[in-house]
């Protein structure tokens, strides 16, 4: 399928059974194209197709996004077709592809804090806050960074021997930037950022018990 059809196909993925006709309506295409799209999705183990209805499950939208990524569809285009939960899943998947052990929606207590995605590799935890927002003012971004630094300090205090780096992953930013040495990373550059992360640690805020 073309990049456009992959993106339309992602929109049509709704958990549960959906007919070819309804898939065509949701993905804004004609019935014949919808059938081809469904067949392509099923061929990539996304959904179960019986010839008339395709049955999707939780996670199929993310699986379609990953396949689209492998087909050369731009990650920032894919991300526009995902909601915040899918967006977190995409960030976690990119971490896994780069050999990070991952956790999602980690809850810390006393005080209660939630970390969207944790990636651990080579003894350093990357704590990611995913922001599926179109625009962030400098003051709002600074507040987001300070909150993520506090979450990171809390994580380190609760985790024996932890060294952690707070990171913000965004949807619409066009390049990697830093606020107080905390990286602000567009989702479409996350893979490159991970490739270079350990070579650039001196430029990144890292927090251990001794630094608190």
């Amino acid at each position: 399928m073309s990049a456009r059809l992959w993106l339309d196909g992602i929109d049509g993925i709704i958990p549960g059974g959906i007919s070819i006709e309804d898939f065509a309506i949701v993905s804004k295409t004609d019935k014949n194209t919808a059938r081809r799209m469904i067949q392509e999705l099923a061929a990539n183990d996304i959904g179960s197709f019986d010839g008339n209805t395709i049955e999707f499950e939780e996670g199929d939208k993310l699986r379609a996004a990953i396949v689209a990524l492998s087909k050369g569809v731009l990650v920032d285009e894919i991300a526009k077709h995902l909601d915040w939960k899918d967006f977190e899943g995409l960030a976690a998947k990119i971490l896994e592809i780069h050999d990070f052990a991952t956790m999602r929606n980690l809850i810390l207590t006393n005080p209660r804090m939630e970390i969207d995605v944790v990636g651990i590799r080579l003894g350093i935890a990357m704590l990611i806050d995913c922001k599926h927002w179109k625009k962030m003012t400098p003051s709002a971004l600074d507040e987001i960074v300070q909150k993520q630094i506090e979450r990171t300090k809390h994580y380190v205090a609760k985790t024996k021997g932890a060294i952690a780096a707070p990171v913000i992953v965004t949807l619409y930013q066009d390049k990697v930037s830093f606020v107080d040495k905390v990286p602000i990373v567009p989702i479409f550059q996350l893979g490159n950022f991970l490739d270079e992360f350990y070579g650039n640690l001196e430029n990144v805020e890292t927090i251990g018990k001794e630094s608190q």
Side-chain angles (χ1 to χ4, degrees):
M1 291 195 297
S2 68
R4 180 72 261 159
L5 287 181
W6 269 107
L7 295 172
D8 290 342
I10 289 170
D11 289 339
I13 296 173
I14 301 168
I18 184 170
S19 66
I20 295 171
E21 291 81 359
D22 288 342
F23 188 91
I25 292 168
V26 175
S27 57
K28 301 180 180 66
T29 189
D30 61 84
K31 185 177 176 180
N32 288 334
T33 303
R35 178 180 286 276
R36 285 195 297 112
M37 291 163 71
I38 286 171
Q39 289 171 336
E40 181 76 8
L41 289 168
N44 283 277
D45 297 319
I46 300 162
S48 177
F49 185 45
D50 65 6
N52 296 302
T53 301
I54 187 163
E55 187 85 22
F56 292 116
E57 60 183 30
E58 293 292 341
D60 275 340
K61 182 175 277 193
L62 177 57
R63 280 188 279 275
I66 298 302
V67 173
L69 201 57
S70 73
K71 302 284 186 183
V73 184
L74 296 176
V75 70
D76 54 335
E77 285 297 314
I78 294 169
K80 293 174 186 175
H81 292 257
L82 305 176
D83 63 23
W84 64 269
K85 193 178 276 189
D86 297 316
F87 185 54
E88 289 177 3
L90 182 56
K93 189 65 178 180
I94 293 170
L95 282 165
E96 290 169 7
I97 289 169
H98 287 78
D99 298 322
F100 282 75
T102 63
M103 293 179 285
R104 288 180 59 188
N105 308 122
L106 176 65
I107 303 294
L108 303 174
T109 56
N110 299 319
R112 187 186 188 281
M113 294 181 177
E114 182 173 350
I115 299 168
D116 292 341
V117 181
V118 179
I120 302 173
R121 183 168 176 256
L122 300 178
I124 298 177
M126 185 180 296
L127 274 51
I128 293 178
D129 186 25
C130 294
K131 290 302 178 192
H132 193 265
W133 298 352
K134 287 190 176 181
K135 291 183 179 180
M136 286 183 283
T137 64
S139 60
L141 186 55
D142 184 66
E143 183 178 348
I144 288 165
V145 166
Q146 298 311 315
K147 286 182 177 179
Q148 191 65 357
I149 289 173
E150 287 306 308
R151 292 186 192 102
T152 304
K153 289 179 177 178
H154 193 26
Y155 171 86
V156 168
K158 295 277 188 179
T159 309
K160 184 178 179 180
I163 300 172
V167 176
I168 311 297
V169 172
T170 68
L171 178 55
Y172 292 95
Q173 186 139 327
D174 59 356
K175 62 182 179 180
V176 177
S177 61
F178 292 83
V179 174
D180 292 343
K181 295 184 71 176
V182 173
I184 317 298
V185 185
I187 186 73
F188 71 94
Q189 290 190 12
L190 181 57
N192 289 338
F193 173 78
L194 295 174
D195 286 337
E196 299 169 0
F197 177 70
Y198 291 95
N200 291 322
L201 276 176
E202 71 277 4
N203 299 317
V204 176
E205 176 71 13
T206 54
I207 297 170
K209 279 192 168 61
E210 69 280 356
S211 63
Q212 293 196 56

